[in-house]
Amino acid sequence: QFDNVICSRCDAAVALPKGSGRAFEAFIRELEGVLKNEYAVTDPDVTLTCAAAETAKAVSAERTVTLVQALTAMPQGVEAMDTDFPGLVQTSLNMGVVKLDGDGLHIAFSIRSSIASRKLMLAQRVRAVAALAGQKDPAPADAGGSAGVCLPVYHDAYRYWQVWTVEHRQRP
């Protein structure tokens, strides 16, 4: 399985308070329109779909906020350009596979730099954000080209929630 590719599909299960499904569906339709407009040239076939689904567990609303904040705070993309070779990226990273399972939210990163200390610093930044989001005993950052973090999740009982699945597809 690849952990560093541009995905053509993304699936998410979203737990909602009962009775809010129609409002969520309207939000997804509106967001789909925004994405179709923004990506009209580069991805004209982008689509979002949603439907009611079943699940036994859901992450608590409070923990979801922390996880979304951590994902938003994680460094991503080009961090520095090479000063010796104009137009060449010196240091960058990208989030690869993000997966929620019983252990937590697992996030894999590919970190690249022509300067070892910058690569190490970027791995340390990823782990620092993970620690702020609750990761216990993160592995020490090393000079390798990847970093992985696992943010703990706390599950609420499902009985008060309705779950909708959201699917994103882009053209191959």
Side-chain angles (χ1 to χ4, degrees), residues 83-96:
T83 55
D84 295 327
F85 300 97
L88 181 67
V89 174
Q90 176 204 74
T91 305
S92 66
L93 81 161
N94 67 284
M95 201 177 294

Side-chain angles (χ1 to χ4, degrees), residues 18-72:
K18 286 193 178 197
S20 61
R22 291 208 189 280
F24 182 71
E25 193 171 15
F27 165 75
I28 292 297
R29 295 290 162 254
E30 182 179 339
L31 179 58
E32 182 183 39
V34 169
L35 294 176
K36 284 186 176 292
N37 182 52
E38 290 179 358
Y39 294 99
V41 174
T42 58
D43 192 1
D45 299 324
V46 65
T47 60
L48 294 180
T49 60
C50 65
E54 296 289 326
T55 190
K57 294 181 178 179
V59 176
S60 69
E62 180 180 303
R63 189 64 186 152
T64 297
V65 169
T66 300
L67 295 174
V68 170
Q69 288 172 337
L71 287 169
T72 303

Side-chain angles (χ1 to χ4, degrees), residues 102-125:
D103 294 336
L105 182 68
H106 298 265
I107 310 167
F109 289 88
S110 179
I111 302 173
R112 299 163 297 279
S113 183
S114 58
I115 299 177
S117 62
R118 292 216 178 198
K119 187 189 299 185
L120 181 60
M121 178 56 83
L122 206 44
Q124 289 171 338
R125 283 180 53 206

Side-chain angles (χ1 to χ4, degrees), residues 136-152:
K136 303 292 185 222
D137 302 320
D142 59 34
S146 65
V149 296
C150 178
L151 306 179

